[in-house]
Amino acid sequence: MKTIVIRLLFLAFLLLASPFLQVALCQSDSEDSGFEVSDVGEDESETEQVFGLELTSAPGIETLCVFPNNRAKIIKAGTETEVLVGMKNDGQSDVDIVAVKGSLHLPFDQKPLVQNLTALSFGNASVPVSAQATFPYIFAVSKFLEAGAFDLVGTIVYEMDGKPYQSIFYNGTVEVVEDGPLFRMESVFLSGLLISLIVVLIIYIQNGLRHMTKKTKRATKAKVEVGTAAKDASLDEWLEGTAYTQSSSKSKKKK
């Protein structure tokens, strides 16, 4: 009985905890400023293969990104999402922007690619020395992608003195949700399953308590009967040979 109750309670806890964990994740994301800063120096540069080339970030380049009106970083599947990419040029040469691209990965392992996002090309965009600029990047996640948490990696590709570089302006978790009604069939099914488990658990506990109560009452009644019989027998033995037993035997003979 204890094992079944523990399993039911654990399953109910998992079903209850899942939506609250998701809400907590969104709340923690919404508490930040919405800015993601990436300042990569020459010694801390990351290498990535872009357009078949091994590219690193250029020294003196600082990037950041903003999710406008979307601090929680919630992305609706099949709907366009906008990210503003900022760049500050503290290098020695002007920067010519080539493209901005992104990709989705699994949150626990970024090696498997979930989806390649739109690569937005820029023709004549540039950032002079000691200047900064902002570039809009609009992408859309596949409408067939299952809702959940994913890692978004955003990269801006640029050139300095004719040499290509790249910088990662965002590398973090985003929440992908379905673009549909608030209450989906999946939520309704999970809610119904949770309610059913709670009802079954309550009925099981009530039946167990009733069974234990009946056993307790039977045991108490048996103890009372045995105790009364033993008390009568000991009383008769103690009064044996006295006037009380003689008068009792005479009354029985008269009857």
Side-chain angles (χ1 to χ4, degrees):
M1 175 181 176
K2 290 183 179 180
T3 304
I4 297 176
V5 171
I6 293 173
R7 289 179 180 176
L8 290 174
L9 286 174
F10 180 70
L11 181 59
F13 171 76
L14 289 178
L15 292 174
L16 281 172
S18 179
F20 288 110
L21 289 175
Q22 182 174 352
V23 171
L25 175 63
C26 295
Q27 287 178 346
S28 63
D29 286 339
S30 64
E31 290 174 358
D32 59 26
S33 61
F35 291 85
E36 296 293 335
V37 180
S38 175
D39 186 8
V40 183
E42 185 175 5
D43 296 334
E44 299 174 347
S45 61
E46 295 184 13
T47 303
E48 182 181 352
Q49 189 172 14
V50 180
F51 303 135
L53 301 174
E54 292 284 343
L55 303 183
T56 59
S57 17
I61 300 300
E62 180 182 344
T63 58
L64 60 83
C65 74
V66 183
F67 290 76
N69 303 319
N70 187 13
R71 292 183 177 180
K73 303 177 183 64
I74 297 176
I75 299 174
K76 291 185 178 181
T79 304
E80 289 186 344
T81 301
E82 183 182 20
V83 176
L84 298 179
V85 182
M87 174 180 283
K88 183 179 180 182
N89 183 6
D90 289 332
Q92 303 298 323
S93 304
D94 294 346
V95 173
D96 296 322
I97 306 300
V98 177
V100 178
K101 73 183 192 72
S103 57
L104 281 181
H105 305 264
L106 297 177
F108 51 86
D109 186 5
Q110 286 193 355
K111 290 182 180 179
L113 177 65
V114 176
Q115 181 185 352
N116 263 327
L117 303 176
T118 305
L120 183 62
S121 299
F122 293 86
N124 300 318
S126 63
V127 183
V129 177
S130 301
Q132 55 187 6
T134 302
F135 308 95
Y137 176 55
I138 299 175
F139 63 93
V141 173
S142 173
K143 64 180 180 180
F144 301 107
L145 185 64
E146 185 178 355
F150 296 91
D151 275 0
L152 172 64
V153 179
T155 306
I156 182 168
V157 184
Y158 51 94
E159 292 181 351
M160 293 181 68
D161 297 328
K163 183 179 179 180
Y165 297 91
Q166 64 86 25
S167 294
I168 297 176
F169 60 84
Y170 183 79
N171 186 1
T173 304
V174 295
E175 191 73 20
V176 177
V177 298
E178 294 182 6
D179 185 17
L182 180 62
F183 297 99
R184 304 190 302 272
M185 290 301 298
E186 181 181 358
S187 301
V188 174
F189 173 76
L190 290 176
S191 300
L193 179 61
L194 179 60
I195 293 173
S196 302
L197 284 174
I198 292 175
V199 171
V200 171
L201 182 62
I202 292 174
I203 294 174
Y204 189 83
I205 292 175
Q206 287 180 346
N207 291 336
L209 291 175
R210 289 176 184 174
H211 187 65
M212 292 175 61
T213 304
K214 288 181 180 179
K215 281 187 174 181
T216 304
K217 288 182 178 179
R218 290 175 182 174
T220 304
K221 186 177 180 181
K223 287 181 180 179
V224 171
E225 292 178 353
V226 172
T228 305
K231 184 178 180 180
D232 293 340
S234 61
L235 182 61
D236 292 340
E237 184 179 356
W238 181 68
L239 295 174
E240 186 176 357
T242 62
Y244 174 77
T245 54
Q246 292 177 358
S247 60
S248 296
S249 59
K250 290 181 180 179
S251 60
K252 288 181 181 180
K253 289 180 180 179
K254 288 181 180 180
K255 291 180 179 180

